[in-house]
Amino acid sequence: MSKKIAVFGMGYVGIPAAALFADVEGFTVVGIQRRSKRSGWKIDLLNKGKNPIGGDEPGLSELIERVVKKETFRVTDDFTECKDADIILIDVQTPTDENGIPHYESLKEVCKQIGQNMKKNVLIVIESTVAPGTTDHIVKPILEEYSGLQTGIDFSLAFSYERVMVGRLLYNITKLPRIVGGIDEESTRKALNLYRNIVHAELHSTGALTAEIAKVVENTYRDVNIAFANEIALMCESLGVDVFKVRELVNTLPNDPSNPSTNPVRNMHFPGAGVGGHCLPKDPWLLKFGVDTYGKFKVEPNLIVTSRKLNLFMPMHMIDLLEEGLNEAGIKLIDAKVTILGVAFLENSDDTRNTPSKPLYEELKKKQAKPVLHDPYVREFEIPFTKDFNEAITDSDAIIIVTKHKDYFNLDLSKIKNKMRNPILIDGRNIYDKEKCEKLGFIYKGVGKPH
Ligand code: SAJ
């Protein structure tokens, strides 16, 4: 007997999840997306079997085309379509503001819509990242208030977070272990059964709160590790040593083969021009918000907050390196044409969420420089940018590499040098070799490189 799945939120998480389930025998999937200015256009595109997600996403376009053709996947803005759904996935945005406070307008609105329409015995799964305590204290009460039904008795509720990354959305959903946390054991059991259909890796079951914490800790752990690498990079710059050599040597320390679990491997992360995306800049604040709001006692997350601030500082450090390069060339920053390579926050993607290029661009503007943004993948951005590389670097006084797009790997630096006004290269992603660049006549400065 065919089961109906309704997926709220056609974004980087909702679209691949919906398409994967729609490709499983016995499921029909309806995507529910507000016809908003920002995302409404995706509805018609998806219903034509087209993939609205740009950049390289292996297998996603073919999958969407296939499930739309076999009519197991369609998209609508009519949220009452969830009234006969057996399973409902919540994949809406859960942003935080500049003070790290989560804004759950979309989440609350969708929970109200689901509550007003859901049927008994439905399984509801939150996949969006939320502050610990949100499933129990925000989602559950709204669903019960608007449905008049009781969680765990009339319907099931679980939290099971995504581990998607742009550039490998399908791989990360199907091949990475998944954590499933129910509001009760029956909810966990039902959710495990659901994900067995698309996850070809280990499923780990736990409670909803533990799963919520695991998600934000997973990203906070990465953010703190990146901050550590960035701090070491600044120290190496001061000592005049290449941090990437240091990192390489540090990561040679082997795991303790006799007792691997007690001695985790060394995995110093990569320092760089900044930390962007929808997850790492936000999840540490969601973790803090959860403890501040639902915790039994106050905990001041000094390490986590300091790390976040250090990662926010890195785009500004790019300007320090730039000003040093310009000084060496005897050029003022005022009116200097500065080419910023990369608008996306992650390589080979079109995803600009919380990109480090934005604060870098804005600070350069404030300093009366003339920054120009370039990106080969991005389609739209709140700040004007160009896809024309030649236009971006012609008569430029300096190039700053922010995103590790493969397009920036084997640039013909001699040719570029002849087109620039001043050959200055600021490398925020360790793409180029300092000595080679200097031999070509560039002033080269890099994060974590000797000055
Ligand atoms: N970055 C560094 N140094 C590093 C790694 C990353 O500066 O060593 C920067 C990147 O350039 C980028 C930012 O950090 O600007 C985030 O990069 P990312 O590779 O973490 O990409 P995300 O944010 O798309 O993916 C993360 C992943 N989380 C973890 O690995 C713990 C992914 O698994 C999650 O699914 C995703 O967040 C999410 O959606 O939560």
Side-chain angles (χ1 to χ4, degrees), residues 274-285:
V275 174
H278 184 57
C279 316
L280 270 58
K282 172 193 70 162
D283 292 3
W285 301 121

Side-chain angles (χ1 to χ4, degrees), residues 232-243:
I232 299 300
L234 299 176
M235 292 171 141
C236 284
E237 286 179 28
S238 171
L239 291 164
V241 163
D242 183 338
V243 70

Side-chain angles (χ1 to χ4, degrees), residues 249-270:
L249 299 172
V250 166
N251 288 350
T252 60
L253 185 59
N255 193 0
D256 171 358
S258 63
N259 214 341
S261 62
T262 63
N263 197 345
V265 292
R266 304 300 175 276
N267 178 20
M268 186 173 157
H269 285 38
F270 292 97

